[in-house]
Amino acid sequence: MKLYTKILIGMLIGVLAGFLVGPNSSLMPQDGVRLSGSAVVHSQADGASAAVPLATGLKAAKIESRQGEWAQVTWELSAPELLKLKKAGVEGSSRASPGQTLSGWVVLEEPHVTTYATIGQSLIDWTEWIGRLFLALIKMVVVPLVFCSLVVGVASLGDFRKLGRLGGRTIGFFTLTTVVALVIGVGLANLIQPGKWMSDADRGRLLASYESAAGSTVDSAADAPSLADQVIGIVPTNPFHSLAEGEMLQIIFFGLMLGIAITLMNVARGKTVVEFLDGLNEAMVMLVHVAMKLAPYGVAALLFKVIGTTGLSVLMALGVYALVVLLGLFLHGTITYGVAIRFGAKLPYFGFLKAIRPAMLLAFSTSSSSATLPVTKECVEDNLGVSNQISSFVLPLGATVNMDGTALYQGVAAIFIAQIYGMDLTLGDQVTIVTSATLASVGAAGVPGAGMITLAMVLTAIGVPTEGLALVLGVDRLLDMFRTSTNVVGDSTAAALMARLEGEDIRVVSPEEDAADPKHGFERTMEEPHPVESQHVDED
Ligand code: ASP
């Protein structure tokens, strides 16, 4: 069975399990409560009784019994929880001991109180490590792979004009498609007006349950450096530090400069460096193949968690908004990329999508274009024939700055939140959304939820309250999967288009060729090791 089929099956299992046996599944007994922000636990089921101080800051509890809208909840104080309470100076915490059972009453209808299935949560706790292990294995390869392949790619270009041309065209294409994505998103949000579809009750509930999460998102956005700092910050003061910290733009800059320097130096010595890095690069590719063996299990575990913890009720309240985002991503994916793939890269559209299928599936399940990068690179090189020179430059840059899906989503989200607050946006405001979301998508890192953080900047630019982020947070993780897939398709489209413009002979590798030639696709043989040096010398 092909790897992408296995990944697809893993995804299906994860999604189904999330819906059926996840913590928010209506098929499971909802026997636990999650308390957020300012939820109050009372000592009696009457509302007038005193609050239970020790319950402050405790997040989850078990429901023991129900009495109308009230539920009696209990939880056992764990040692770390008790430490936290003591540190916060909560009343009574100094006399409490670990393992002590507390009980109190909560109102189930309160927006700060949500119910969940404790068995579903335990299932997530038990399986979560598989997804995390898989992600860690793939991420382990990203920095060395980007660095080695970029230096080798640039050093073998041998022509700086080509590099300048490639850089100019790539950035031009990235900017153009991001603006088109935003025009689609802003246009649809104005046409469909998703904000008009939300009831006041849903609005209040969402604002209350996500207020604290929205607050911390805004805090992260406020720490963002200025544009000038960001531009200067691309030049690393210590490249080893950048490599250690995975600062992608700095790594790209250093890789480019090193590649250029190698081209300028003594040919023989330069060749030694390139050969070493090339060998390392190949080893990294092999590591990706090894890690991908875990992919079907990893994506199942990742999706089980995401789907299992996304409440269906949130999805219903935000349904129209989510549909507008999805429609926008679909239009951008088919029309904008369709034109670039068919007429620019001169490749069949569906053949192209088939070639990058593993990358799309991985982007969907990890919500990280950076983590997907090694697989995207393999797909465009092995299944489309894009050269390492092009892919090693376009893809890492794309995974860091080119996020059309993110930009489109930010455009829709900003207008949706403004509509809910009853604010009329002028044409000038809409243009501000396009420009600020273009920058915000460039500033977003290729990691889960990054677009949500930089959305705060877009909201500030048009004067919409940033607390409004709480309105869209509930479905953010879900939409992230779709916008990350769009981002990865956008990067792959750029790589194919640039390769075609540079005169490369790219084409979709057929399944037969893929099966016959171990150099193509993810089915590359790993079963036959090629030791560099024979370990045992036969004496006879
Ligand atoms: N998760 C997205 C990516 O990695 C960024 C975002 O929109 O949050 O491409």
Side-chain angles (χ1 to χ4, degrees):
M1 201 191 288
K2 288 211 163 227
L3 182 68
Y4 71 83
T5 318
K6 289 188 200 163
I7 299 181
L8 209 60
I9 294 174
M11 286 173 68
L12 273 177
I13 293 176
V15 170
L16 280 179
F19 275 127
L20 298 179
V21 293
N24 288 325
S25 163
S26 45
L27 300 175
M28 305 287 283
Q30 297 285 307
D31 55 350
V33 283
R34 257 189 263 280
L35 310 171
S36 67
S38 36
V40 182
V41 180
H42 296 269
S43 52
Q44 303 282 323
D46 56 9
S49 60
V52 180
L54 270 179
T56 322
L58 293 180
K59 294 241 154 47
K62 207 164 166 12
I63 299 180
E64 294 298 334
S65 62
R66 293 176 192 238
Q67 217 176 80
E69 55 171 356
W70 288 86
Q72 186 181 26
V73 294
T74 58
W75 56 101
E76 231 174 74
L77 272 182
S78 70
E81 273 171 346
L82 193 56
L83 258 180
K84 255 190 239 161
L85 295 179
K86 280 189 178 166
K87 221 173 138 211
V90 173
E91 190 193 323
S93 58
S94 52
R95 289 187 304 279
S97 54
Q100 180 182 337
T101 307
L102 286 178
S103 87
W105 292 84
V106 292
V107 182
L108 289 175
E109 296 305 310
E110 220 219 296
H112 295 102
V113 176
T114 39
T115 56
Y116 73 100
T118 49
I119 306 177
Q121 187 56 47
S122 307
L123 284 175
I124 288 188
D125 295 342
W126 292 328
T127 52
E128 195 200 21
W129 66 273
I130 308 173
R132 287 188 22 218
L133 174 67
F134 166 63
L135 256 184
L137 280 172
I138 289 272
K139 283 189 191 162
M140 170 178 85
V141 186
V142 174
V143 168
L145 181 80
V146 166
F147 178 68
C148 298
S149 66
L150 187 61
V151 177
V152 173
V154 175
S156 50
L157 268 175
D159 177 0
F160 300 144
R161 260 176 317 170
K162 189 172 169 187
L163 190 61
R165 195 173 56 212
L166 181 61
R169 279 179 182 161
T170 306
I171 291 171
F173 180 75
F174 284 169
T175 315
L176 180 72
T177 51
T178 304
V179 173
V180 172
L182 268 157
V183 170
I184 293 177
V186 168
L188 284 179
N190 278 303
L191 201 72
I192 303 178
Q193 308 243 345
K196 300 270 151 73
W197 293 75
M198 180 175 274
S199 66
D200 283 348
D202 280 340
R203 179 191 149 181
R205 200 162 50 83
L206 288 168
L207 281 173
S209 24
Y210 291 97
E211 70 184 354
S212 57
S216 55
T217 307
V218 174
D219 288 347
S220 321
D223 289 339
S226 72
L227 189 63
D229 284 347
Q230 282 183 38
V231 173
I232 297 167
I234 292 176
V235 185
T237 41
N238 177 353
F240 294 102
H241 181 260
S242 318
L243 286 165
E245 293 295 318
E247 293 287 351
M248 206 48 90
L249 285 180
Q250 297 187 345
I251 296 172
I252 294 174
F253 184 81
F254 181 62
L256 278 176
M257 299 304 278
L258 190 63
I260 293 173
I262 290 172
T263 329
L264 295 174
M265 67 194 252
N266 174 298
V267 179
R269 304 197 69 176
K271 209 168 149 224
T272 319
V273 182
V274 172
E275 269 174 5
F276 169 73
L277 292 177
D278 202 15
L280 203 55
N281 184 33
E282 212 167 294
M284 291 304 138
V285 171
M286 259 330 180
L287 276 183
V288 176
H289 287 248
V290 176
M292 285 300 279
K293 295 263 171 202
L294 245 191
Y297 314 99
V299 296
L302 288 168
L303 286 179
F304 176 45
K305 184 174 176 193
V306 173
I307 303 293
T309 46
T310 303
L312 217 54
S313 58
V314 180
L315 202 59
M316 306 283 245
L318 291 166
V320 179
Y321 155 73
L323 281 179
V324 174
V325 174
L326 294 184
L327 178 65
L329 293 177
F330 175 75
L331 292 179
H332 189 61
T334 47
I335 301 174
T336 319
Y337 296 152
V339 169
I341 292 163
R342 190 74 206 90
F343 302 105
K346 300 201 171 48
L347 291 172
Y349 179 68
F350 289 107
F352 173 87
L353 290 186
K354 221 169 146 187
I356 61 161
R357 239 174 345 194
M360 281 165 64
L361 296 186
L362 207 62
F364 187 79
S365 18
T366 60
S367 288
S368 168
S369 26
S370 285
T372 311
L373 185 54
V375 177
T376 318
K377 194 163 175 296
E378 275 294 277
C379 287
V380 301
E381 287 179 14
D382 284 358
N383 299 345
L384 294 172
V386 174
S387 69
N388 172 49
Q389 291 175 343
I390 305 274
S391 73
S392 65
F393 174 74
V394 177
L395 292 177
L397 194 64
T400 320
V401 301
N402 181 42
M403 301 200 182
D404 297 356
T406 304
L408 189 148
Y409 138 86
Q410 288 178 333
V412 177
I415 295 186
F416 171 70
I417 296 171
Q419 283 168 356
I420 290 189
Y421 279 110
M423 296 171 63
D424 276 329
L425 297 177
T426 61
L427 191 64
D429 289 331
Q430 316 250 0
V431 174
T432 310
I433 292 179
V434 174
T435 46
S436 59
T438 302
L439 292 176
S441 69
V442 170
V447 296
M452 183 82 206
I453 297 174
T454 53
L455 172 61
M457 292 189 234
V458 181
L459 295 184
T460 312
I462 51 168
V464 171
T466 46
E467 298 80 68
L469 282 179
L471 293 166
V472 291
L473 252 165
V475 284
D476 185 66
R477 191 60 179 75
L478 217 56
L479 293 180
D480 201 358
M481 309 200 297
F482 292 92
R483 60 185 198 247
T484 309
S485 303
T486 309
N487 293 345
V488 166
V489 178
D491 299 339
S492 309
T493 305
L497 179 64
M498 295 310 139
R500 178 68 76 199
L501 292 177
E502 288 299 329
E504 288 184 7
D505 178 27
I506 55 166
R507 68 196 168 82
V508 176
V509 172
S510 70
E512 292 74 36
E513 280 175 278
D514 182 357
D517 184 354
K519 269 187 86 59
H520 290 303
F522 279 96
E523 286 69 33
R524 181 161 20 185
T525 45
M526 284 187 301
E527 285 73 30
E528 299 162 39
H530 308 285
V532 176
E533 232 176 347
S534 179
Q535 300 288 319
H536 305 285
V537 180
D538 213 339
E539 296 286 276
D540 319 299

